[in-house]
Amino acid sequence: MKLYTKTGDDGTTGLFGGKRVSKDSLRVECYGTVDELNSNLGLATTELTNLELKKIILNIQNKLFTLGGELATDPEKASENLIKIELSDISYLEKEIDKFDNKVEPLKQFILPGGTKGSAMLHFSRSVCRRAERLVTSLSKNEKVSNLVLVYLNRLSDLLFVLARYENNINHVDDIPWQK
């Protein structure tokens, strides 16, 4: 199978289900941003030394692939066999948020992204996650999108925030306080 198909040479791409859309459509922007987030997380793991964090990020990357596939599917042609984000995926994120939030000092002020390189990369991934959430919110106003996709992205950004703080913590690096 060849990597290139030439079907997108006209500026369109195919959704799962066969529908062709412009490559600059909001739906394509949504799953493209989720793909960007997934790539950022892959890059972040190259800087993380904690195996538990790497395992969590790998789980998230797999779920983001599922989420991207859900967004890349024509909602009018989605089959019942489509793998989707489920409530259990959100529960997993919430469990991890609670666990790692209990391992860092409570926040007393706003912090800036940074500290260790791994923490900074997790913060960067968090900001890409927020952009994906904003785009999917816009998409949901005009097209069918599972609410679980929005909830997952919202929880994921919270988890990435606390994991960035934890990464600093285990490397004995203080969070960077925002100076008014």
Side-chain angles (χ1 to χ4, degrees):
M1 181 172 153
K2 288 188 176 186
L3 185 61
Y4 56 91
T5 63
K6 301 183 184 183
T7 58
D9 291 351
D10 64 353
T12 65
T13 190
L15 299 178
F16 295 124
K19 181 178 179 181
R20 298 214 50 91
V21 296
S22 177
K23 288 184 178 182
D24 66 355
S25 75
L26 185 53
R27 182 168 290 280
V28 175
E29 189 67 33
C30 287
Y31 68 76
T33 303
V34 169
D35 183 42
E36 179 184 348
L37 170 58
N38 208 334
S39 295
N40 281 328
L41 288 171
L43 184 59
T45 61
T46 68
E47 294 298 327
L48 302 175
T49 57
N50 183 283
L51 295 179
E52 183 179 16
L53 289 184
K54 286 184 173 209
K55 182 179 175 184
I56 291 167
I57 298 299
L58 182 61
N59 177 286
I60 291 166
Q61 286 184 285
N62 279 294
K63 293 303 175 185
L64 285 174
F65 204 85
T66 297
L67 190 148
E70 193 170 342
L71 290 170
T73 300
D74 179 354
E76 304 301 320
K77 303 276 180 150
S79 78
E80 292 180 19
N81 296 331
L82 178 66
I83 301 170
K84 297 180 180 181
I85 293 298
E86 299 175 354
L87 277 173
S88 60
D89 300 322
I90 294 163
S91 296
Y92 169 80
L93 296 178
E94 290 171 346
K95 178 183 72 98
E96 296 301 321
I97 291 166
D98 293 342
K99 179 171 77 176
F100 285 94
D101 195 41
N102 285 324
K103 294 182 179 189
V104 295
E105 291 294 316
L107 272 179
K108 295 181 175 112
Q109 64 188 76
F110 290 112
I111 61 171
L112 301 176
T116 67
K117 193 170 183 181
S119 175
M121 294 172 90
L122 289 170
H123 275 295
F124 183 70
S125 294
R126 174 190 51 79
S127 67
V128 173
C129 185
R130 286 288 189 204
R131 178 163 32 97
E133 182 184 8
R134 291 189 304 272
L135 290 167
V136 173
T137 298
S138 293
L139 179 67
S140 72
K141 291 178 181 177
N142 297 309
E143 296 187 44
K144 185 178 175 187
V145 176
S146 167
N147 187 58
L148 295 180
V149 168
L150 284 167
V151 174
Y152 187 88
L153 291 170
N154 189 29
R155 291 301 180 287
L156 178 56
S157 63
D158 293 337
L159 178 58
L160 294 174
F161 178 79
V162 75
L163 293 182
R165 293 194 65 222
Y166 180 74
E167 169 67 10
N168 277 342
N169 181 273
I170 62 174
N171 286 289
H172 310 289
V173 174
D174 291 334
D175 289 322
I176 304 166
W178 171 58
Q179 302 295 318
K180 297 179 186 176

